[in-house]
Amino acid sequence: MENCIFCKIIKGDIPSKKVYEDEEMMIIHDVAPKAKLHYLCLPKTHFALLKEMDDTKAAIVARCLQKVSKLEKDLGLEDGYRVIINQGENGGQTVHHLHIHLLGGEPLGDF
Ligand code: 5GP
Ligand code: ZN
């Protein structure tokens, strides 16, 4: 997608602090961290909303979560973390490329 910030990051056209990459996902540091550790897991396929998932996209999102769980220690999230996927206007989604927020590195308290 031409004007998508995250597609540009995935292509390498916008720099990012990358901590993991494979053929279907990338994990980067959020540019404006809202916790001591704040990562974004980006599926490389562009789509905005969970409701757009077909079986292929759903499998990619599932593998993103599985990979995150395997990387907990490497990411410094072994003491626990919060997973957030903002959806649409009321959800506060500002980048319309589905992404998984990973927040941790400190106790986050409740909502
Ligand atoms: P949303 O509000 O859509 O759920 O989350 C978008 C996130 O992307 C925000 O936490 C914001 O800080 C982050 N973000 C926006 N632009 C960039 C960027 O250019 N690089 C990185 N690493 N994060 C970004
Ligand atoms: Zn995109």
Side-chain angles (χ1 to χ4, degrees):
M1 292 292 286
E2 271 175 27
N3 286 318
C4 172
I5 290 175
F6 289 168
C7 282
K8 288 180 183 169
I9 285 175
I10 288 161
K11 273 172 63 187
D13 292 346
I14 293 178
S16 67
K17 281 172 70 182
K18 182 168 59 179
V19 294
Y20 177 78
E21 181 172 15
D22 64 25
E23 61 283 349
E24 57 186 5
M25 73 192 78
M26 188 181 270
I27 303 176
I28 62 172
H29 285 273
D30 195 292
V31 78
K34 297 184 180 61
K36 193 168 172 191
L37 293 173
H38 185 174
Y39 304 99
L40 301 170
C41 181
L42 314 175
K44 289 190 172 178
T45 304
H46 178 96
F47 63 103
L49 297 167
L50 291 168
K51 69 183 176 192
E52 295 169 38
M53 287 189 301
D54 55 14
D55 288 350
T56 302
K57 293 184 180 78
I60 291 170
V61 173
R63 281 194 291 273
C64 284
L65 291 170
Q66 185 183 37
K67 179 56 73 176
V68 164
S69 76
K70 289 189 191 304
L71 292 174
E72 282 175 6
K73 203 160 189 289
D74 294 336
L75 298 175
L77 299 175
E78 66 272 24
D79 292 333
Y81 54 103
R82 186 168 292 159
V83 176
I84 297 175
I85 305 178
N86 292 328
Q87 293 288 278
E89 200 174 337
N90 281 5
Q93 186 176 11
T94 58
V95 179
H96 300 285
H97 178 127
L98 190 116
H99 51 282
I100 303 167
H101 292 265
L102 308 168
L103 297 141
E106 61 184 336
L108 297 172
D110 58 14
F111 282 102

